Amino acid sequence: MRSKFIDLNALQMFVAVAEERSVSAAAERVGNSQSAVSQSIRQLEEDLGAVLLDRSHRPLHLTAAGLTLLNRARILLSDSAQMRSEVQEASRGIAPEVTIGLVDSFAATCGPAFIKRMLEKTVRLAVRSGLTPYHGEKLFAREFDIAVTSDTFEGLERVGHRRIYSERFIILTPRGSGVHHINRESLQRLASSTPLIRFNPKSHLGSQVETQLRRTGIRALSRLEVDTADTVVATVAAGLGWALTTPTCLVQGQQYAASVQVHLLSDIHGGRSLYLLHREGEHEKLFETCYAAALGSVEDTLMPALKRLAPHAADHIELATASDE
């Protein structure tokens, strides 16, 4: 025999009868007549080939088959309602379920504002933070739908990107260290006399800093390596050395910023950019939504914080526009 499809309306009437333990009360609850509800239950029993209600008792009792159906019906009706909601929300540009990877410095500074914007455009949102090198791999493996990261992963096929902002490197020294203007010559003197606090070279930012030092020809004393931006600022504030870092990382460690001096590099140019990444041909509408949310969060949180902590460093951040490719 060919299997018959189960009518969701019939299931809804059955659940109402099972929960109310009365056909009349169930009919009132679902807005239908008693005869329609009774007929629907009998048709459901016929379709399933099982008696669902023990009609010899008042109030009505469920049979073992009826109890099994009740448990399954509740799940099916809930899933059906969720499906309807997700389809309707998708038609309005709301994504059903999204996983986004955020590089640590962005997550710690712009993350809350970014997440708040994205919650308005998603039914369920999962956010994962960590070091940049893992983001491309997870995006390619479909563990992430979108990623905010400092590497474009040009070697990965079908991974598209758009720049959010760029920032130039800055120098941090302990407050009162006597260091003022920083150029190539004074930076070499600093590096020769004071230990450099290195950022984890396995991170993308750490490797970018090391590349910048090599390009500049700076040989630095090194005794300490840390793996978070706020620890970099904290250890500089404690007088343990100096650091080459970014304005975003300064904001990430802002609780220690009062004890550090921020220096701009006058004749040394270098820095990093943050990008929004996605798989090309997928989630195009979501990508545009994420991009607008990322730009807005930088404008609303990162820039005001940086202007408060180190106004002269705010010009070291160049924010992209929504039309940038």
Side-chain angles (χ1 to χ4, degrees), residues 81-129:
Q82 182 69 24
M83 178 181 67
R84 178 187 294 273
S85 174
E86 290 180 3
V87 169
Q88 291 174 344
E89 288 170 337
S91 71
R92 301 195 302 270
I94 299 176
E97 189 166 350
V98 180
T99 301
I100 301 178
L102 302 179
V103 67
D104 281 338
S105 57
F106 186 88
T109 54
C110 303
F114 174 75
I115 291 168
K116 182 179 180 181
R117 284 175 166 83
M118 291 308 301
L119 281 173
E120 298 172 358
K121 298 295 183 179
T122 58
V123 176
R124 297 187 191 91
L125 179 64
V127 178
R128 306 285 184 261
S129 60

Side-chain angles (χ1 to χ4, degrees), residues 21-23 54-61:
R21 302 180 71 183
S22 163
V23 173
D54 182 351
R55 294 171 174 82
S56 64
H57 290 84
R58 290 290 183 273
L60 295 172
H61 286 187

Side-chain angles (χ1 to χ4, degrees), residues 3 43 47 60 71 73 79 92 103 114 119 123 173 177 180 183 189 211 219 235 263 303 316 318 325:
S3 297
Q43 185 63 52
D47 291 344
L60 295 172
N71 293 333
D79 287 346
R92 301 195 302 270
V103 67
F114 174 75
L119 281 173
V123 176
T173 62
S177 61
H180 298 290
N183 56 24
R189 287 199 301 270
T211 298
R219 295 183 178 181
T235 49
H263 310 275
M303 297 307 296
H316 270 35
E318 178 191 358
E325 294 294 336

Side-chain angles (χ1 to χ4, degrees), residues 135-171:
H135 290 172
E137 176 184 325
K138 290 183 179 296
L139 189 70
F140 192 72
R142 298 182 176 275
E143 293 181 43
F144 291 165
D145 299 303
I146 301 284
V148 175
T149 183
S150 59
D151 192 345
T152 59
F153 299 98
E154 297 287 354
L156 293 179
E157 294 182 3
R158 297 183 62 248
V159 174
H161 68 272
R162 188 179 298 176
R163 185 176 66 93
I164 303 170
Y165 68 93
S166 300
E167 57 183 345
R168 292 173 57 188
F169 287 129
I170 57 175
I171 298 293

